[in-house]
Amino acid sequence: GESVGLHLPTLSVQEGDNSIINCAYSNSASDYFIWYKQESGKGPQFIIDIRSNMDKRQGQRVTVLLNKTVKHLSLQIAATQPGDSAVYFCALKGSGSARQLTFGSGTQLTVLP
Amino acid sequence: GAGVSQSPRYKVAKRGQDVALRCDPISGHVSLFWYQQALGQGPEFLTYFQNEAQLDKSGLPSDRFFAERPEGSVSTLKIQRTQQEDSAVYLCASSLVGLGGEQYFGPGTRLTVT
């Protein structure tokens, strides 16, 4: 089956520093990966995605890196701001017909003033 | 434009009661997903609709869980004879296309079974 894990359940960073959140996955057949941000009381919000034919993708202040050799995914947030405090989930698209998302357990990012 | 909405936002049920959770997807979105999120965990897939057809219900934890989307728009997740382990946030997501596309999540319904 598919499983998604994260290296750290919590991460604290100083405002203005860069944040790196890591994720490992087991299903080598996965071809689409997404990072979500979830604030308290809200549903997950799409941040950035990457397909398996890429190893890096950049957005506004965020970069996702994919290493298919070691089945590792990371999210880098530049110049972390207080509004970035949330739980971050990596997710992968399943290989089933529904293409449902399989989520990791999440990393709580806390931005310190 | 309006996003995915869910109601109620909070539901407290006594063990053994039936509950119905509603999801209003983004207008025109073909696909609709239900997920269950336990406290401190990531969402877990329950079931998937493409228009009115329920194409995958492999994630439903028991036959007490039932979902429908009769007109291909609004969906209802029903849980019969609720048990304490059903306590969780139930998230609904919709996407524009059938087998891919970004999933947009609603705020969820927090169900507490006492």
Side-chain angles (χ1 to χ4, degrees):
Chain A
E2 296 158 347
S3 66
V4 185
L6 286 168
H7 290 255
L8 288 173
T10 62
L11 175 66
S12 295
V13 297
Q14 291 292 138
E15 182 178 354
D17 287 353
N18 297 335
S19 303
I20 299 176
I21 301 172
N22 297 301
C23 180
Y25 63 95
S26 61
N27 187 353
S28 57
S30 299
D31 60 0
Y32 182 51
F33 305 85
I34 313 106
W35 281 99
Y36 281 90
K37 172 186 180 183
Q38 187 174 27
E39 296 173 285
S40 180
K42 298 183 179 180
Q45 177 186 6
F46 174 92
I47 301 173
I48 191 168
D49 59 0
I50 188 168
R51 299 197 178 276
S52 59
N53 61 353
M54 304 171 67
D55 53 20
K56 181 179 179 179
R57 190 161 187 229
Q58 288 184 294
Q60 186 177 12
R61 284 202 305 118
V62 295
T63 301
V64 56
L65 299 177
L66 175 62
N67 185 329
K68 295 180 288 297
T69 302
V70 295
K71 299 178 189 173
H72 183 269
L73 188 70
S74 69
L75 176 70
Q76 300 177 4
I77 305 173
T80 314
Q81 302 171 359
D84 295 329
S85 292
V87 178
Y88 289 81
F89 294 98
C90 63
L92 54 84
K93 274 282 180 73
S95 54
S97 60
R99 302 277 284 164
Q100 67 268 24
L101 297 171
T102 299
F103 284 82
S105 54
T107 292
Q108 171 71 58
L109 174 65
T110 302
V111 181
L112 305 173
Chain B
V4 178
S5 60
Q6 293 186 244
S7 61
R9 289 295 315 277
Y10 304 91
K11 177 69 179 177
V12 178
K14 293 187 186 303
R15 192 174 62 174
Q17 285 184 332
D18 298 348
V19 298
L21 312 180
R22 177 187 170 106
C23 172
D24 285 80
I26 294 172
S27 178
H29 277 199
V30 170
S31 297
L32 186 146
F33 300 80
W34 283 99
Y35 293 84
Q36 181 190 58
Q37 186 173 24
L39 187 64
Q41 299 296 316
E44 293 191 354
F45 170 77
L46 294 176
T47 187
Y48 160 67
F49 290 85
Q50 184 171 325
N51 296 305
E52 69 278 4
Q54 188 175 20
L55 299 185
D56 190 331
K57 53 183 180 179
S58 62
L60 296 177
S62 77
D63 59 7
R64 296 185 296 103
F65 286 70
F66 171 76
E68 60 183 5
R69 193 186 186 197
E71 298 179 357
S73 178
V74 171
S75 177
T76 304
L77 176 66
K78 298 179 179 178
I79 309 173
Q80 297 176 326
R81 305 180 302 282
T82 52
Q83 300 177 7
Q84 283 191 320
E85 60 262 31
D86 299 335
S87 295
V89 174
Y90 290 86
L91 294 163
C92 175
S94 68
S95 68
L96 185 58
V97 298
L99 292 178
E102 179 182 337
Q103 293 183 23
Y104 294 85
F105 283 81
T109 294
R110 180 177 295 279
L111 172 66
T112 303
V113 181
T114 61

